[in-house]
């Protein structure tokens, strides 16, 4: 392990972090958070693109840029953490290589393309006693945190239906691997947005007992771009999840129905837009939701706005810092995410057969 310097705001050691990949995921969702969280240092970036190299060096002076992951592994003793944010089909092999190089590892979603790959990685991390976690940042969306509190407090009563949507209007497919590649590459919206929607549903309402799915590719030359999932949780709650790139008018982001009331949110959490605009996530008003965007709770004509929790993506990396540096719990347990991959696999079987697919041993994880 390298010598570590003192974090200016914590008085503790800084953990040197290497970011493997510097596309949108690396530039928008990871690098700014790593840079802003006290106790972490964005020390290295892996990219073979001259343009992305220049962008990383301009925004993060002093960062070491490696042209390949192999070059990083050869220098692994300089770092404590590797963050894998590369095309989906490379997540599992790069995470394995990082673990074998002796690093703690964060893997962007999807954790892997199959539950089997994910179990192997989780087993390897356990054997080596190394930290392995998955970047399920939507657990720190403002609307989700607000809903979590309502569910925990029992304000909704017994929730019987959870509706959740990520919908976009992109009528023409782009020629990227994500939009136009095949299932073997992890392309398509089920692998892109599905892990978020499924993870939120499972986190709230527990393991899934059965899956019904409609998976379509509606745009010319596109991978799957319009998906509906109906999940029946073991405890009886039904989750209806929509994800689409061809939604000219979006439905509510969340609609949650219980026997004591309902909760509805219309718009998306604003953290992604602010990160995309280049804002720093340690701004004093980070994650704050304007009152006009709060969700509403109640029944019939008796509804009221619910003050929103603040969105908190930096908390993922603060928890990672504490897990790696102090042995605290993981921000996201990989075993929880494995079940989400089981749901995705069942969804593909369901769509192919046009039938409900049961999940035996639902939620067994490893």
């Amino acid at each position: 392990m390298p010598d570590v310097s003192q974090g200016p705001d914590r008085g503790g050691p800084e953990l040197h972090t290497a970011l493997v990949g510097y596309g949108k995921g690396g530039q928008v969702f990871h690098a700014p958070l790593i840079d802003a969280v006290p106790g972490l240092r964005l020390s290295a970036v892996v990219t073979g693109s001259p343009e992305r190299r220049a962008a990383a060096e301009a925004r993060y002076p002093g960062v070491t840029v490696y042209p390949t992951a192999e070059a990083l592994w050869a220098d692994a003793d300089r770092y404590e953490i590797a963050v894998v944010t590369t095309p989906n089909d490379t997540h599992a092999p790069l995470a394995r290589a990082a673990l074998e190089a002796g690093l703690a590892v964060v893997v962007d979603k999807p954790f892997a393309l199959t539950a089997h790959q994910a179990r192997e990685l989780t087993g390897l991390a356990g054997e080596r006693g190394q930290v392995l976690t998955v970047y399920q940042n939507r657990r720190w969306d403002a609307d989700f945190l607000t809903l979590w509190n309502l569910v925990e407090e029992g304000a909704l009563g017994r929730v019987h239906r959870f509706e959740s949507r990520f919908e976009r209007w992109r009528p023409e497919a782009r020629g990227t691997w994500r939009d136009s590649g095949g299932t073997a590459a992890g392309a398509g919206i089920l692998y892109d947005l599905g892990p978020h929607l499924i993870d939120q549903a499972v986190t709230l309402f527990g393991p899934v007992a059965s899956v019904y799915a409609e998976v379509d590719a509606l745009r010319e030359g596109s991978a799957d771009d319009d998906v509906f999932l109906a999940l029946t949780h073991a405890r009886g709650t039904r989750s209806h999840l929509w994800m689409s790139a061809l939604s000219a008018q979006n439905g509510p982001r969340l609609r949650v129905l219980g026997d004591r009331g309902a909760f509805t949110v219309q718009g998306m959490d604003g953290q992604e837009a602010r990160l995309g605009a280049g804002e720093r996530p340690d701004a004093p008003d980070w994650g704050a939701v304007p009152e006009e965007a709060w969700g509403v709770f109640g029944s019939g004509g008796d509804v009221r706005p619910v003050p929103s929790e603040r969105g908190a993506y930096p908390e993922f990396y603060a928890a990672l810092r504490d897990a790696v540096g102090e042995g605290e719990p993981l921000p996201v347990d990989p075993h929880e995410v494995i079940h989400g991959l089981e749901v995705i696999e069942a969804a593909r079987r369901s769509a192919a057969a046009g039938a409900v697919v049961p999940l035996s041993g639902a939620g067994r994880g490893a």
Side-chain angles (χ1 to χ4, degrees), residues 91-97 99-100 105 107 111-130 132 334-335 337-339 341-342 345 365-366:
H91 286 185
L94 285 172
R96 173 174 288 276
L99 289 169
E100 291 174 344
V105 181
V107 189
F111 182 18
L113 296 188
T114 68
H116 176 72
Q117 287 179 330
R119 289 188 198 99
E120 287 187 333
L121 288 174
T122 304
L124 178 62
E127 291 169 7
R128 291 174 170 265
Q130 290 170 236
L132 172 66
H335 294 92
V337 183
I338 290 170
H339 183 51
L341 291 169
E342 293 172 340
E345 292 173 340

Side-chain angles (χ1 to χ4, degrees), residues 95-171:
R96 173 174 288 276
L99 289 169
E100 291 174 344
L103 299 171
V105 181
V106 176
V107 189
D108 208 337
K109 57 81 198 168
F111 182 18
L113 296 188
T114 68
H116 176 72
Q117 287 179 330
R119 289 188 198 99
E120 287 187 333
L121 288 174
T122 304
L124 178 62
E127 291 169 7
R128 291 174 170 265
Q130 290 170 236
V131 166
L132 172 66
T133 189
V134 186
Y135 187 64
Q136 295 288 166
N137 61 303
R138 296 292 180 174
R139 294 189 187 187
W140 288 270
D141 276 358
D143 49 26
F144 179 78
L145 293 172
T146 305
L147 173 59
W148 175 270
N149 287 341
L150 291 173
V151 171
E152 287 294 292
E153 293 165 1
L156 294 161
R158 183 181 61 83
V159 175
H160 54 271
R161 191 173 307 278
F162 171 62
E163 299 176 2
S164 180
R165 294 172 172 84
F166 282 166
E167 296 176 323
R168 301 164 172 169
W169 176 237
R170 295 177 180 170

Side-chain angles (χ1 to χ4, degrees), residues 10 13 21 78 117 193 207 218 266 293 301 303 324 357 364:
R10 295 182 70 240
R78 295 177 56 190
Q117 287 179 330
L193 301 181
L218 301 178
Q266 294 297 330
V303 298
V324 175
V357 171
R364 67 186 183 277

